[in-house]
Amino acid sequence: RKESSAASDVYKRQMQYSTKIFYSELVKAKFQPPISIVKWNTEFDISEKKNWESIFFNKIKDVKDTFLAEFNYKLLNNLLSNNLLISKWNTNITNKCKSCISQIENTKHLIFECINVQNIWKVASSCLNFDILWKHIVVGFHLDRSETTKLYNSFVSYIAYRIYKSKMYCRIEQIDETCTFIKDHVKKSIKSHCPVLSILSKTKEKKLFETFISKL
């Protein structure tokens, strides 16, 4: 129980930590590559500056929802809380995923590979009629800045964001991270998101999210 309480306190501090200073400087600039650019260049085979400029605009600069833009910024710069990161400076927290037991919980596992979120991404992929990959979540669809690209980026980023928030909520409140809880939490947040989309006249995005909810 003591270990669980210590972990909860750590995640509370992590969630309270703001990157607003860094983020505000980033959005003022025309372009600034992420600090993890070498890692992403190797993992996703992205090397040309023009591609990173496109990623910057698609994932951060053009995103109207500041919470979502900041999430994307943290993701690109490897600033999201996860057990691997936290365990490096707090020995009370294991670097393993508590649901998957033997798997190291890095950001990729937390948001994309964990057994508790795999079905969510399976349903999201069926809505887009292609398999969503980790690359799509991190750097998005960056080859152009069309309306379709914006729709896909918004859809994928928002689901990733809600998964992350759901998991952090579980850790702060010391709730078991089950597949059902994460799914229901994501579903509830998207249901409240859809009326906002309707007011903003984002009909295509609203329909896509409604389809996702009906299948989840």
Side-chain angles (χ1 to χ4, degrees):
R1 181 69 180 176
K2 184 177 180 181
E3 179 179 337
S4 177
S5 179
S8 175
D9 289 341
V10 169
Y11 283 108
K12 282 181 182 178
R13 290 196 295 272
Q14 280 289 303
M15 293 302 288
Q16 289 170 351
Y17 172 72
S18 173
T19 58
K20 287 183 178 179
I21 295 176
F22 303 104
Y23 176 68
S24 62
E25 290 302 315
L26 181 66
V27 296
K28 287 178 185 177
K30 180 180 179 182
F31 167 68
Q32 181 177 329
I35 57 177
S36 302
I37 191 169
V38 175
K39 168 183 168 59
W40 302 135
N41 281 346
T42 302
E43 187 170 349
F44 301 141
D45 192 25
I46 301 173
S47 57
E48 294 186 25
K49 182 180 178 181
K50 66 178 182 180
N51 287 329
W52 280 109
E53 289 177 341
S54 178
I55 291 167
F56 167 73
F57 279 98
N58 282 327
K59 297 287 288 184
I60 299 173
K61 190 74 172 180
D62 289 346
V63 177
K64 304 302 182 184
D65 185 329
T66 56
F67 290 104
L68 190 57
E70 187 170 345
F71 168 78
N72 286 336
Y73 168 69
K74 290 180 178 179
L75 177 58
L76 282 165
N77 287 279
N78 199 29
L79 295 173
L80 296 177
S81 293
N82 58 73
N83 286 344
L84 176 61
L85 179 65
I86 302 299
S87 66
K88 290 180 179 179
W89 54 272
N90 190 308
T91 56
N92 291 320
I93 299 177
T94 176
N95 64 1
K96 300 290 196 302
C97 173
K98 290 187 177 180
S99 297
C100 302
I101 310 300
S102 62
Q103 298 297 312
I104 298 293
E105 188 193 80
N106 54 19
T107 303
K108 182 178 182 180
H109 184 88
L110 177 79
I111 295 174
F112 186 64
E113 294 180 329
C114 178
I115 191 171
N116 291 332
V117 303
Q118 288 178 4
N119 187 62
I120 294 176
W121 289 116
K122 183 178 180 181
V123 172
S125 295
S126 71
C127 292
L128 296 181
N129 295 315
F130 60 81
D131 290 335
I132 296 173
L133 307 177
W134 175 236
K135 179 178 181 179
H136 299 147
I137 297 171
V138 178
V139 298
F141 305 89
H142 58 85
L143 295 180
D144 61 63
R145 294 169 69 187
S146 67
E147 290 304 312
T148 299
T149 296
K150 290 179 182 179
L151 176 64
Y152 289 174
N153 282 329
S154 176
F155 181 67
V156 172
S157 292
Y158 191 78
I159 292 172
Y161 171 61
R162 293 320 311 183
I163 287 174
Y164 176 71
K165 295 293 285 186
S166 298
K167 288 204 166 199
M168 293 304 104
Y169 176 80
C170 287
R171 294 173 193 200
I172 291 172
E173 299 299 327
Q174 300 181 41
I175 300 171
D176 287 338
E177 292 177 33
T178 65
C179 179
T180 300
F181 182 88
I182 300 297
K183 181 194 71 173
D184 290 345
H185 202 269
V186 170
K187 196 170 183 177
K188 182 179 179 181
S189 67
I190 292 178
K191 280 184 178 179
S192 64
H193 185 58
C194 281
V196 177
L197 296 175
S198 181
I199 294 172
L200 297 175
S201 299
K202 295 183 179 179
T203 54
K204 288 184 179 180
E205 192 171 353
K206 181 174 183 288
K207 288 179 180 178
L208 182 57
F209 276 114
E210 286 179 338
T211 300
F212 175 72
I213 290 172
S214 68
K215 291 184 175 183
L216 195 61

